[in-house]
Amino acid sequence: MQVISAPHEFNATDLYVDLASVVGERLILKCEGFNFAGSIKLKAAHAMVSAAERAGDLRPGSTIVESSSGNLGVALSIVACNRGYHFICVTDSRCTLASRQLMQLLGSEVHVVTEPHPVDGLLGARIQRVRELCAGVSDSVWLNQYANPNNWMAHHQLTGPEILKAFPDLGVLFVGSGTTGTLMGCARYMREHKPSVRIVAIDAAGSVTFGGPSQTRMIPGLGTGVRPQLLDESYVDDVVIVPEIDTIRSCRQLARRGFLFGGSTGTVVSGATAWLAEHPLAADVSAVAIAPDLGERYLDTVYQDQWVSDLYGPGALQEAVAAESH
């Protein structure tokens, strides 16, 4: 029995799914969405807020301001209302309706940016709005998930150890790249405790994180229009770039087997499957991928046929449906 007094205290850290029968490769998926925030971002949200409290930056009556494409915004909404802070989330038009509604239900104020920054895209516009809000709101604190070391430290202290404890024979770890907090925390932990583990970063096509050209991306979560300050590529062994239509195919393939995961998870599974197809593993090692989120918030996007057809064309949807049947 587990009795908790705060939302962050519950997190199903030991739930894994064997995807071998689904994707045709030996791949274990660490499920991070079974908590009150519905995503891995609850770990970072709690860590960053707690650190700000210890530093004296957050006090009773303070306002937290942060930029988020959705999942961190929901996580911070939960932590903020539980701790008695007001929270302002700056997001953009790609944020799912379900995420916006959930943040507002929890008492948060949501600002939606629609016009991209001329150089740094929608993320740049969001960060600019955050700075403007902080200048105009008294006793406000920008946690800055893009540069806050507590973002990656949460995964160095929690996620990395959880994985290596469950799979001491770990050979390769697949981690999605957004702010790169999860990636950097897990990679640093593996480098210190089992340096033989290959770290494979999964990124979305159109993201600039690993030097690719900036392109329009419609699925929130992974990828960024501004290179993350937390990223240190010396900890990364390989990078796999996943087109958004492959994310959709992967999500729908998983859903057809009863596993409803979010867009970030679909991207990670797609990238991991492609990498494993080209790099067969020895029988005595495990491959683990981190699933950041669940799928309910994507029902009107990734899992909505008309949305997919409108953005990627009916041919793309037919290809996705074909992938589901395999």
Side-chain angles (χ1 to χ4, degrees):
M1 180 175 67
Q2 184 179 20
V3 178
I4 66 173
S5 58
H8 74 272
E9 293 175 359
F10 173 76
N11 201 343
T13 60
D14 59 350
L15 180 59
Y16 295 82
V17 176
D18 185 344
L19 292 183
S21 64
V22 181
V23 301
E25 300 288 348
R26 291 194 297 118
L27 180 63
I28 302 295
L29 196 62
K30 186 182 195 312
C31 302
E32 287 281 350
F34 291 97
N35 57 52
F36 284 98
S39 82
I40 196 171
K41 290 293 188 177
L42 185 58
K43 289 177 174 176
H46 175 253
M48 290 189 294
V49 169
S50 296
E53 290 174 335
R54 291 192 298 270
D57 297 329
L58 281 175
R59 301 174 295 275
S62 291
T63 295
I64 299 171
V65 184
E66 186 57 89
S67 159
S68 169
S69 62
N71 282 339
L72 182 72
V74 172
L76 281 174
S77 294
I78 287 174
V79 175
C81 72
N82 179 256
R83 302 281 184 88
Y85 303 118
H86 181 54
F87 174 50
I88 302 175
C89 180
V90 179
T91 188
D92 60 56
S93 50
R94 296 170 298 183
C95 180
T96 65
L97 176 62
S99 293
R100 296 200 302 269
Q101 291 177 328
L102 184 51
M103 286 187 275
Q104 291 168 333
L105 175 67
L106 292 165
S108 300
E109 186 178 332
V110 181
H111 292 231
V112 180
V113 171
T114 57
E115 293 297 324
H117 185 277
V119 176
D120 296 329
L122 286 168
L123 176 56
R126 278 162 34 193
I127 292 174
Q128 181 176 320
R129 178 70 64 84
V130 166
R131 291 192 172 109
E132 293 169 353
L133 286 167
C134 286
V137 177
S138 61
D139 197 16
S140 60
V141 176
W142 177 25
L143 296 173
N144 193 2
Q145 63 164 326
Y146 311 103
N148 193 323
N150 296 286
N151 185 347
W152 69 260
M153 288 173 64
H155 303 288
H156 184 272
Q157 296 169 358
L158 298 172
T159 314
E162 291 162 3
I163 293 171
L164 197 55
K165 179 181 178 181
F167 295 92
D169 63 346
L170 183 68
V172 58
L173 178 63
F174 300 96
V175 191
S177 304
T179 65
T180 68
T182 307
L183 174 64
M184 288 294 95
C186 290
R188 282 187 167 94
Y189 183 83
M190 296 304 166
R191 179 71 61 85
E192 295 166 7
H193 296 274
K194 192 172 185 182
S196 62
V197 174
R198 293 188 65 83
I199 302 297
V200 181
I202 311 296
D203 199 13
S207 167
V208 306
T209 300
F210 294 97
S214 177
Q215 298 173 354
T216 300
R217 291 173 291 107
M218 299 305 300
I219 301 174
L222 301 187
T224 182
V226 179
R227 181 181 168 87
Q229 293 174 255
L230 297 177
L231 177 62
D232 182 343
E233 289 190 61
S234 69
Y235 288 93
V236 178
D237 296 299
D238 288 302
V239 177
V240 180
I241 306 298
V242 178
E244 287 193 327
I245 190 59
D246 289 344
T247 292
I248 293 167
R249 292 170 184 159
S250 182
C251 285
R252 288 170 173 243
Q253 181 186 28
L254 291 165
R256 190 165 181 85
R257 298 297 294 272
F259 297 112
L260 189 67
F261 286 106
S264 296
T265 299
T267 303
V268 172
V269 171
S270 178
T273 303
W275 190 93
L276 288 169
E278 296 183 2
H279 303 83
L281 294 181
D284 59 345
V285 299
S286 295
V288 174
I290 298 176
D293 55 359
L294 301 179
E296 288 89 346
R297 294 173 199 161
Y298 297 83
L299 293 179
D300 58 351
T301 55
V302 169
Y303 294 104
Q304 216 284 328
D305 289 355
Q306 191 62 54
W307 184 88
V308 176
S309 294
D310 289 346
L311 288 177
Y312 307 99
L317 180 61
Q318 291 167 8
E319 293 173 7
V321 171
E324 290 179 62
S325 64
H326 287 84

